[in-house]
Amino acid sequence: MRNLARASAAASGPVAPVVVPTAPAAGQRRRAAAKIGPELMFLYVLWFIILCDPQWFLASFLGKTLVQVPTALFGIFLVMVLLQKPRHLFVPLLCFLIYTGINLYWAYNRGYALTPTKQLLLYYVLAIGTFSYVRNFKQALPIIVMMFVYQYIWWDAHGALQGRVTWHPTNTNYDGFGPLMVMGLSTTIYYAMATKKKAQKTLALLVAGGCVIGFVSSFARGAIVSAGAVIGWIWLRLPRKGVATLMIIGVALVVVTSASLLFSNVKRGDARGSFWEEMLTIGAEDDKTATDREVLWNLAQRVFWVHPWMGVGAENFGPFAAEYFEAGETGGNYDENPARLYERDVHSSYFQILSEYGVIGSSLFLWLLIDFWLKNRKLRRRERIAAWRDAGNGALDLKQLSLGIEASMVAFLSTAFFYNQVFVHWLYSILTINILLYLLSKPKGLQADGVRRRASRA
């Protein structure tokens, strides 16, 4: 029978081999997952818009209509995010956003509160969209480099020598541009230490020098004081004190050289013509700016005690104070006409949060900061550093990136003491990048556990 079967098979001619379909190789699957498609390119464009505001630059010579383009783009992205199952909901920011929206009902002036609510929504959508679409090191790299270095090339080019950006709605103010440059110093220095490529190290250090020139040229005293605090923080965090000391000497040389050669006789708002003369006014008894801040901070505390639990609503300190206080009750330059307070900022993010968000909102804001520090600290665990190193082939040091984000947060918190920054993207960009690094550096064992838990719930 066996011979008969062979004869029959031979008579019928050669038999085509049976091909069994196989699953793609692991390398092919990784390459497919790392692919940067149109969705990610769209996401990168949105990050560029958030970090650099190119629409305002183009609108300065092509017309104000272009300012509305990002709104349409983020509307499209919102639909994309809703269709994509969110990977991480970023609960602290979600609660802060929801509270801001609910507080619209009680806000003293709803029109004033509506704009920051929309801004927070935009930042939240960008955050959870980033967590949903960015799944690996390669996909995250453009956003990381943009956040740490590239955005500051843009801002250095447009404002480092002038101390402000004339076409920008907020950075046209010296007090708006100075804090941005302080944050740029913190991230660029750490990126130079994180990267293995000499060209990128050199570029990051050059951009850091531009940021130093930027906050010097702004003559913003709060930014200068904050820069000192950030440099001190960096020195404390660097284990190699020799390198840290050389860094401080380098920054000091740039400050002295630029202040003496470039900004010894210039016009910077109502500041004195010399950088050194302006810095000598810090803490002076005849400092009218400091006196004005003290008055505003005192009024913010009084506004808080009127509405201690929920506050008067986002961006509503001015409208409420202008109509609540009577002549002779405010002190300072507002005694004769408290209505002047209507368009005034508190000149401190902390007093702003206290008066506009009350105890409940301030607690949610504090939750955002605590969540940041907890996750940032975990980024420096050995297993996460190893997982990140394997994913990126050692191209960027996660520890240095985490310290850079930490230093940027210190820069934000320091400058926030002097300026209203709650609704600028700076804080929310820092928070988003911190969580992105946290998600991408999760060791594979923990990732598998998370996948199994989600599958069991489904």
Side-chain angles (χ1 to χ4, degrees):
M1 293 294 292
R2 199 173 295 165
N3 292 334
L4 181 61
R6 288 199 192 101
S8 176
S12 61
V15 179
V18 178
V19 179
V20 179
T22 59
Q28 292 177 322
R29 290 197 300 270
R30 283 195 297 269
R31 285 192 293 272
K35 182 180 179 182
I36 297 177
E39 297 90 351
L40 279 168
M41 294 301 297
F42 188 55
L43 176 63
Y44 299 155
V45 170
L46 296 182
W47 268 101
F48 175 63
I49 290 172
I50 285 292
L51 296 176
C52 299
D53 285 328
Q55 71 277 11
W56 286 100
F57 172 67
L58 295 174
S60 65
F61 53 88
L62 293 179
K64 295 294 183 182
T65 306
L66 286 172
V67 175
Q68 305 303 321
V69 172
T71 303
L73 296 180
F74 271 96
I76 295 171
F77 190 63
L78 174 59
V79 175
M80 292 169 57
V81 172
L82 292 176
L83 294 175
Q84 177 87 359
K85 187 176 181 181
R87 182 185 179 195
H88 183 81
L89 288 178
F90 197 177
V91 176
L93 182 55
L94 176 59
C95 292
F96 189 68
L97 168 62
I98 292 173
Y99 178 83
T100 304
I102 291 174
N103 214 15
L104 277 172
Y105 181 80
W106 290 278
Y108 187 77
N109 184 320
R110 293 180 187 174
Y112 272 55
L114 185 59
T115 297
T117 305
K118 292 178 179 178
Q119 290 174 309
L120 289 177
L121 175 61
L122 182 150
Y123 303 147
Y124 180 74
V125 169
L126 182 65
I128 62 172
T130 300
F131 306 148
S132 297
Y133 285 105
V134 177
R135 296 302 184 97
N136 52 58
F137 176 89
K138 181 181 177 181
Q139 294 173 345
L141 186 60
I143 298 174
I144 293 171
V145 182
M146 208 186 310
M147 175 71 180
F148 275 74
V149 180
Y150 289 168
Q151 64 162 317
Y152 297 108
I153 297 176
W154 171 268
W155 294 119
D156 282 355
H158 285 280
L161 293 178
Q162 297 82 19
R164 64 189 184 120
V165 180
T166 55
W167 49 263
H168 196 268
T170 56
N171 291 340
T172 189
N173 188 317
Y174 298 108
D175 287 340
F177 187 71
L180 174 63
M181 293 289 95
V182 177
M183 281 179 270
L185 175 65
S186 62
T187 58
T188 50
I189 284 179
Y190 274 107
Y191 189 85
M193 292 186 287
T195 182
K196 297 291 181 63
K197 298 181 179 179
K198 290 184 178 180
Q200 290 191 359
K201 283 181 181 291
T202 302
L203 176 63
L205 291 174
L206 288 174
V207 177
C211 290
V212 175
I213 294 174
F215 66 68
V216 169
S217 70
S218 72
F219 281 35
R221 293 173 300 174
I224 301 299
V225 171
S226 300
V230 171
I231 292 170
W233 181 272
I234 294 174
W235 187 86
L236 289 172
R237 297 295 275 162
L238 284 176
R240 298 168 62 187
K241 297 306 179 190
V243 174
T245 303
L246 287 175
M247 180 208 70
I248 293 177
I249 292 173
V251 171
L253 286 174
V254 176
V255 170
V256 172
T257 303
S258 60
S260 302
L261 298 181
L262 300 176
F263 312 117
S264 59
N265 185 22
V266 295
K267 178 63 177 175
R268 291 290 185 269
D270 57 356
R272 289 164 173 77
S274 165
F275 172 82
W276 300 115
E277 290 178 8
E278 181 65 14
M279 292 307 107
L280 288 174
T281 64
I282 297 175
E285 293 183 1
D286 60 345
D287 187 350
K288 295 181 180 179
T289 304
T291 303
D292 187 58
R293 277 196 172 93
E294 290 174 4
V295 171
L296 292 170
W297 294 353
N298 177 60
L299 293 176
Q301 294 176 67
R302 293 166 66 183
V303 169
F304 164 75
W305 286 113
V306 177
H307 293 283
W309 292 107
M310 298 193 70
V312 294
E315 296 285 15
N316 268 253
F317 163 78
F320 179 84
E323 298 185 10
Y324 178 80
F325 294 109
E326 301 289 341
E329 292 183 346
T330 63
N333 297 325
Y334 314 102
D335 244 353
E336 294 183 2
N337 183 18
R340 294 180 57 198
L341 290 165
Y342 207 94
E343 297 294 334
R344 290 294 288 167
D345 293 326
V346 188
H347 281 283
S348 172
S349 296
Y350 305 116
F351 285 106
Q352 180 185 11
I353 283 288
L354 185 69
S355 60
E356 295 179 358
Y357 275 73
V359 171
I360 300 174
S362 297
S363 300
L364 294 174
F365 187 77
L366 184 61
W367 184 16
L368 278 172
L369 301 181
I370 293 173
D371 182 72
F372 168 84
W373 291 107
L374 292 176
K375 286 184 170 58
N376 185 265
R377 184 179 180 182
K378 290 179 181 179
L379 290 177
R380 292 184 286 278
R381 290 182 175 177
R382 291 181 181 179
E383 62 272 18
R384 286 184 174 274
I385 292 174
W388 177 267
R389 182 175 58 248
D390 293 342
N393 294 321
L396 287 176
D397 187 334
L398 179 63
K399 181 178 180 180
Q400 300 303 331
L401 292 179
S402 70
L403 290 172
I405 289 293
E406 178 192 67
S408 189
M409 177 62 81
V410 171
F412 173 83
L413 295 176
S414 300
T415 54
F417 187 79
F418 303 100
Y419 309 111
N420 282 46
Q421 302 174 171
V422 176
F423 302 112
V424 185
H425 77 83
W426 300 335
L427 172 63
Y428 310 100
S429 298
I430 292 170
L431 295 173
T432 300
I433 295 297
N434 189 60
I435 293 179
L436 181 63
L437 295 176
Y438 176 81
L439 293 174
L440 295 181
S441 64
K442 187 176 292 186
K444 292 182 179 179
L446 294 178
Q447 291 179 3
D449 290 343
V451 171
R452 283 193 291 268
R453 284 196 297 270
R454 287 193 295 271
S456 64
R457 286 197 297 266

Tab-separated table of all heavy atoms in Angstrom, residues 344-380:
chain	number	residue	atom	x	y	z
A	344	ARG	N	-6.112	94.638	36.608
A	344	ARG	CA	-4.847	94.341	37.270
A	344	ARG	C	-4.724	92.861	37.604
A	344	ARG	O	-5.679	92.195	38.001
A	344	ARG	CB	-4.712	95.149	38.568
A	344	ARG	CG	-4.517	96.634	38.360
A	344	ARG	CD	-3.194	96.918	37.698
A	344	ARG	NE	-2.062	96.712	38.601
A	344	ARG	CZ	-0.804	96.646	38.208
A	344	ARG	NH1	-0.501	96.718	36.934
A	344	ARG	NH2	0.160	96.480	39.098
A	345	ASP	N	-3.510	92.337	37.436
A	345	ASP	CA	-3.187	90.993	37.881
A	345	ASP	C	-2.642	91.058	39.308
A	345	ASP	O	-2.189	92.105	39.769
A	345	ASP	CB	-2.133	90.359	36.969
A	345	ASP	CG	-2.672	90.110	35.570
A	345	ASP	OD1	-3.871	89.807	35.446
A	345	ASP	OD2	-1.893	90.224	34.607
A	346	VAL	N	-2.652	89.928	39.979
A	346	VAL	CA	-2.173	89.882	41.363
A	346	VAL	C	-0.647	89.940	41.421
A	346	VAL	O	-0.070	90.270	42.448
A	346	VAL	CB	-2.663	88.587	42.063
A	346	VAL	CG1	-2.356	88.619	43.544
A	346	VAL	CG2	-4.146	88.402	41.852
A	347	HIS	N	0.011	89.619	40.302
A	347	HIS	CA	1.477	89.540	40.245
A	347	HIS	C	2.028	88.475	41.175
A	347	HIS	O	3.087	88.642	41.781
A	347	HIS	CB	2.114	90.897	40.523
A	347	HIS	CG	2.083	91.813	39.342
A	347	HIS	ND1	2.939	91.689	38.279
A	347	HIS	CD2	1.256	92.850	39.048
A	347	HIS	CE1	2.659	92.622	37.377
A	347	HIS	NE2	1.644	93.323	37.819
A	348	SER	N	1.320	87.375	41.285
A	348	SER	CA	1.792	86.180	41.973
A	348	SER	C	0.806	85.066	41.682
A	348	SER	O	-0.392	85.198	41.951
A	348	SER	CB	1.901	86.396	43.480
A	348	SER	OG	2.178	85.173	44.135
A	349	SER	N	1.315	83.968	41.127
A	349	SER	CA	0.422	82.845	40.818
A	349	SER	C	-0.187	82.252	42.078
A	349	SER	O	-1.305	81.740	42.049
A	349	SER	CB	1.205	81.760	40.060
A	349	SER	OG	1.654	82.241	38.815
A	350	TYR	N	0.532	82.311	43.191
A	350	TYR	CA	0.030	81.715	44.434
A	350	TYR	C	-1.139	82.514	45.007
A	350	TYR	O	-2.153	81.948	45.413
A	350	TYR	CB	1.168	81.597	45.444
A	350	TYR	CG	2.342	80.829	44.891
A	350	TYR	CD1	3.578	81.438	44.707
A	350	TYR	CD2	2.198	79.503	44.499
A	350	TYR	CE1	4.651	80.739	44.173
A	350	TYR	CE2	3.258	78.793	43.965
A	350	TYR	CZ	4.481	79.419	43.803
A	350	TYR	OH	5.534	78.714	43.255
A	351	PHE	N	-1.007	83.825	45.020
A	351	PHE	CA	-2.112	84.648	45.488
A	351	PHE	C	-3.273	84.633	44.494
A	351	PHE	O	-4.427	84.780	44.877
A	351	PHE	CB	-1.638	86.079	45.747
A	351	PHE	CG	-0.822	86.218	47.000
A	351	PHE	CD1	0.545	86.387	46.941
A	351	PHE	CD2	-1.431	86.155	48.247
A	351	PHE	CE1	1.304	86.505	48.098
A	351	PHE	CE2	-0.690	86.270	49.415
A	351	PHE	CZ	0.679	86.442	49.341
A	352	GLN	N	-2.938	84.434	43.213
A	352	GLN	CA	-3.994	84.302	42.212
A	352	GLN	C	-4.826	83.051	42.468
A	352	GLN	O	-6.061	83.105	42.484
A	352	GLN	CB	-3.392	84.251	40.803
A	352	GLN	CG	-4.450	84.113	39.707
A	352	GLN	CD	-3.848	83.932	38.329
A	352	GLN	OE1	-2.641	83.708	38.177
A	352	GLN	NE2	-4.678	84.018	37.306
A	353	ILE	N	-4.154	81.914	42.658
A	353	ILE	CA	-4.865	80.671	42.932
A	353	ILE	C	-5.676	80.792	44.209
A	353	ILE	O	-6.837	80.358	44.291
A	353	ILE	CB	-3.865	79.497	43.039
A	353	ILE	CG1	-3.407	79.074	41.639
A	353	ILE	CG2	-4.473	78.300	43.753
A	353	ILE	CD1	-4.455	78.346	40.823
A	354	LEU	N	-5.091	81.376	45.242
A	354	LEU	CA	-5.777	81.510	46.527
A	354	LEU	C	-7.063	82.306	46.385
A	354	LEU	O	-8.121	81.878	46.870
A	354	LEU	CB	-4.838	82.193	47.532
A	354	LEU	CG	-5.360	82.312	48.969
A	354	LEU	CD1	-5.430	80.930	49.619
A	354	LEU	CD2	-4.474	83.265	49.781
A	355	SER	N	-7.018	83.450	45.724
A	355	SER	CA	-8.187	84.328	45.640
A	355	SER	C	-9.195	83.867	44.598
A	355	SER	O	-10.402	84.048	44.779
A	355	SER	CB	-7.753	85.768	45.328
A	355	SER	OG	-7.066	85.826	44.088
A	356	GLU	N	-8.728	83.251	43.520
A	356	GLU	CA	-9.631	82.898	42.429
A	356	GLU	C	-10.153	81.464	42.513
A	356	GLU	O	-11.198	81.152	41.929
A	356	GLU	CB	-8.918	83.099	41.088
A	356	GLU	CG	-8.568	84.557	40.826
A	356	GLU	CD	-7.841	84.795	39.517
A	356	GLU	OE1	-7.556	83.808	38.804
A	356	GLU	OE2	-7.570	85.972	39.199
A	357	TYR	N	-9.453	80.589	43.245
A	357	TYR	CA	-9.856	79.187	43.330
A	357	TYR	C	-10.273	78.752	44.725
A	357	TYR	O	-10.867	77.688	44.876
A	357	TYR	CB	-8.725	78.288	42.827
A	357	TYR	CG	-8.734	78.100	41.328
A	357	TYR	CD1	-8.336	79.129	40.476
A	357	TYR	CD2	-9.155	76.909	40.759
A	357	TYR	CE1	-8.346	78.967	39.101
A	357	TYR	CE2	-9.159	76.728	39.377
A	357	TYR	CZ	-8.762	77.762	38.560
A	357	TYR	OH	-8.778	77.598	37.193
A	358	GLY	N	-9.950	79.538	45.748
A	358	GLY	CA	-10.350	79.186	47.100
A	358	GLY	C	-9.645	77.947	47.619
A	358	GLY	O	-8.700	77.434	47.012
A	359	VAL	N	-10.119	77.450	48.744
A	359	VAL	CA	-9.498	76.295	49.385
A	359	VAL	C	-9.609	75.048	48.513
A	359	VAL	O	-8.645	74.288	48.347
A	359	VAL	CB	-10.153	76.034	50.760
A	359	VAL	CG1	-9.666	74.707	51.351
A	359	VAL	CG2	-9.850	77.177	51.720
A	360	ILE	N	-10.779	74.832	47.917
A	360	ILE	CA	-10.993	73.616	47.114
A	360	ILE	C	-10.084	73.606	45.894
A	360	ILE	O	-9.353	72.648	45.637
A	360	ILE	CB	-12.469	73.497	46.696
A	360	ILE	CG1	-13.375	73.422	47.929
A	360	ILE	CG2	-12.677	72.277	45.807
A	360	ILE	CD1	-14.857	73.458	47.605
A	361	GLY	N	-10.109	74.679	45.116
A	361	GLY	CA	-9.288	74.738	43.913
A	361	GLY	C	-7.803	74.747	44.212
A	361	GLY	O	-7.008	74.147	43.486
A	362	SER	N	-7.412	75.426	45.295
A	362	SER	CA	-5.997	75.450	45.676
A	362	SER	C	-5.518	74.055	46.041
A	362	SER	O	-4.371	73.683	45.753
A	362	SER	CB	-5.781	76.403	46.857
A	362	SER	OG	-6.117	77.735	46.497
A	363	SER	N	-6.384	73.263	46.664
A	363	SER	CA	-6.031	71.884	47.012
A	363	SER	C	-5.831	71.046	45.751
A	363	SER	O	-4.908	70.215	45.682
A	363	SER	CB	-7.117	71.257	47.883
A	363	SER	OG	-7.285	71.986	49.084
A	364	LEU	N	-6.668	71.272	44.746
A	364	LEU	CA	-6.508	70.547	43.484
A	364	LEU	C	-5.214	70.960	42.773
A	364	LEU	O	-4.527	70.126	42.176
A	364	LEU	CB	-7.712	70.808	42.573
A	364	LEU	CG	-9.050	70.251	43.065
A	364	LEU	CD1	-10.186	70.697	42.158
A	364	LEU	CD2	-9.009	68.724	43.135
A	365	PHE	N	-4.888	72.242	42.854
A	365	PHE	CA	-3.646	72.726	42.259
A	365	PHE	C	-2.450	72.092	42.967
A	365	PHE	O	-1.479	71.678	42.328
A	365	PHE	CB	-3.591	74.252	42.361
A	365	PHE	CG	-2.427	74.873	41.641
A	365	PHE	CD1	-2.448	75.017	40.264
A	365	PHE	CD2	-1.319	75.317	42.340
A	365	PHE	CE1	-1.372	75.592	39.586
A	365	PHE	CE2	-0.241	75.887	41.684
A	365	PHE	CZ	-0.268	76.026	40.299
A	366	LEU	N	-2.540	71.999	44.285
A	366	LEU	CA	-1.471	71.353	45.066
A	366	LEU	C	-1.345	69.881	44.686
A	366	LEU	O	-0.233	69.336	44.637
A	366	LEU	CB	-1.769	71.505	46.556
A	366	LEU	CG	-0.702	70.981	47.530
A	366	LEU	CD1	0.609	71.730	47.331
A	366	LEU	CD2	-1.184	71.129	48.967
A	367	TRP	N	-2.468	69.222	44.409
A	367	TRP	CA	-2.458	67.827	43.974
A	367	TRP	C	-1.657	67.674	42.678
A	367	TRP	O	-0.897	66.715	42.508
A	367	TRP	CB	-3.895	67.340	43.791
A	367	TRP	CG	-4.029	65.891	43.426
A	367	TRP	CD1	-3.095	64.910	43.523
A	367	TRP	CD2	-5.203	65.254	42.886
A	367	TRP	NE1	-3.600	63.707	43.086
A	367	TRP	CE2	-4.887	63.886	42.696
A	367	TRP	CE3	-6.480	65.715	42.567
A	367	TRP	CZ2	-5.814	62.983	42.175
A	367	TRP	CZ3	-7.406	64.810	42.053
A	367	TRP	CH2	-7.072	63.460	41.870
A	368	LEU	N	-1.821	68.618	41.737
A	368	LEU	CA	-1.051	68.590	40.503
A	368	LEU	C	0.450	68.568	40.787
A	368	LEU	O	1.209	67.797	40.186
A	368	LEU	CB	-1.378	69.823	39.651
A	368	LEU	CG	-2.621	69.807	38.772
A	368	LEU	CD1	-2.846	71.200	38.183
A	368	LEU	CD2	-2.491	68.783	37.665
A	369	LEU	N	0.882	69.421	41.716
A	369	LEU	CA	2.298	69.536	42.025
A	369	LEU	C	2.813	68.289	42.739
A	369	LEU	O	3.913	67.800	42.445
A	369	LEU	CB	2.547	70.784	42.873
A	369	LEU	CG	2.134	72.123	42.232
A	369	LEU	CD1	2.451	73.275	43.174
A	369	LEU	CD2	2.822	72.321	40.887
A	370	ILE	N	2.022	67.779	43.677
A	370	ILE	CA	2.435	66.569	44.395
A	370	ILE	C	2.555	65.392	43.433
A	370	ILE	O	3.515	64.608	43.493
A	370	ILE	CB	1.445	66.250	45.523
A	370	ILE	CG1	1.510	67.333	46.614
A	370	ILE	CG2	1.728	64.869	46.127
A	370	ILE	CD1	0.454	67.186	47.687
A	371	ASP	N	1.582	65.261	42.529
A	371	ASP	CA	1.622	64.180	41.536
A	371	ASP	C	2.876	64.304	40.675
A	371	ASP	O	3.506	63.285	40.333
A	371	ASP	CB	0.364	64.254	40.668
A	371	ASP	CG	0.303	63.129	39.643
A	371	ASP	OD1	0.063	61.977	40.042
A	371	ASP	OD2	0.501	63.409	38.440
A	372	PHE	N	3.244	65.527	40.330
A	372	PHE	CA	4.470	65.734	39.543
A	372	PHE	C	5.694	65.215	40.282
A	372	PHE	O	6.491	64.448	39.731
A	372	PHE	CB	4.654	67.221	39.233
A	372	PHE	CG	6.019	67.541	38.691
A	372	PHE	CD1	6.290	67.382	37.345
A	372	PHE	CD2	7.046	67.965	39.534
A	372	PHE	CE1	7.568	67.647	36.844
A	372	PHE	CE2	8.315	68.230	39.039
A	372	PHE	CZ	8.573	68.076	37.693
A	373	TRP	N	5.860	65.621	41.542
A	373	TRP	CA	7.068	65.255	42.278
A	373	TRP	C	7.154	63.745	42.519
A	373	TRP	O	8.243	63.159	42.449
A	373	TRP	CB	7.128	66.006	43.610
A	373	TRP	CG	7.364	67.471	43.441
A	373	TRP	CD1	6.458	68.477	43.616
A	373	TRP	CD2	8.581	68.117	43.019
A	373	TRP	NE1	7.027	69.686	43.345
A	373	TRP	CE2	8.316	69.509	42.980
A	373	TRP	CE3	9.848	67.646	42.683
A	373	TRP	CZ2	9.291	70.429	42.619
A	373	TRP	CZ3	10.820	68.572	42.322
A	373	TRP	CH2	10.546	69.933	42.289
A	374	LEU	N	6.013	63.110	42.770
A	374	LEU	CA	6.022	61.668	42.995
A	374	LEU	C	6.455	60.913	41.742
A	374	LEU	O	7.279	59.993	41.797
A	374	LEU	CB	4.640	61.202	43.450
A	374	LEU	CG	4.183	61.662	44.846
A	374	LEU	CD1	2.755	61.214	45.113
A	374	LEU	CD2	5.120	61.129	45.924
A	375	LYS	N	5.904	61.304	40.607
A	375	LYS	CA	6.248	60.620	39.355
A	375	LYS	C	7.662	60.969	38.920
A	375	LYS	O	8.405	60.113	38.404
A	375	LYS	CB	5.238	60.975	38.262
A	375	LYS	CG	3.879	60.305	38.442
A	375	LYS	CD	2.956	60.621	37.295
A	375	LYS	CE	1.691	59.763	37.350
A	375	LYS	NZ	0.920	59.907	38.578
A	376	ASN	N	8.062	62.210	39.098
A	376	ASN	CA	9.401	62.614	38.688
A	376	ASN	C	10.462	61.861	39.478
A	376	ASN	O	11.497	61.449	38.935
A	376	ASN	CB	9.563	64.124	38.876
A	376	ASN	CG	10.892	64.638	38.361
A	376	ASN	OD1	11.849	64.773	39.112
A	376	ASN	ND2	10.947	64.925	37.077
A	377	ARG	N	10.199	61.667	40.740
A	377	ARG	CA	11.158	60.927	41.576
A	377	ARG	C	11.286	59.483	41.115
A	377	ARG	O	12.387	58.921	41.095
A	377	ARG	CB	10.707	60.981	43.033
A	377	ARG	CG	11.668	60.321	44.009
A	377	ARG	CD	11.162	60.454	45.423
A	377	ARG	NE	12.071	59.832	46.384
A	377	ARG	CZ	11.856	59.774	47.686
A	377	ARG	NH1	10.740	60.312	48.195
A	377	ARG	NH2	12.721	59.190	48.476
A	378	LYS	N	10.169	58.872	40.714
A	378	LYS	CA	10.195	57.487	40.252
A	378	LYS	C	10.980	57.325	38.957
A	378	LYS	O	11.478	56.232	38.660
A	378	LYS	CB	8.771	56.964	40.069
A	378	LYS	CG	8.021	56.762	41.378
A	378	LYS	CD	6.612	56.258	41.134
A	378	LYS	CE	5.861	56.071	42.457
A	378	LYS	NZ	4.472	55.608	42.230
A	379	LEU	N	11.099	58.396	38.179
A	379	LEU	CA	11.849	58.309	36.927
A	379	LEU	C	13.310	57.962	37.160
A	379	LEU	O	13.988	57.474	36.253
A	379	LEU	CB	11.759	59.646	36.167
A	379	LEU	CG	10.405	60.008	35.560
A	379	LEU	CD1	10.462	61.380	34.908
A	379	LEU	CD2	9.966	58.963	34.554
A	380	ARG	N	13.805	58.210	38.363
A	380	ARG	CA	15.226	57.966	38.639
A	380	ARG	C	15.474	56.601	39.281
A	380	ARG	O	16.586	56.331	39.753
A	380	ARG	CB	15.774	59.102	39.513
A	380	ARG	CG	15.824	60.426	38.762
A	380	ARG	CD	16.456	61.537	39.568
A	380	ARG	NE	15.603	62.034	40.615
A	380	ARG	CZ	14.627	62.923	40.453
A	380	ARG	NH1	14.388	63.394	39.225
A	380	ARG	NH2	13.900	63.355	41.452
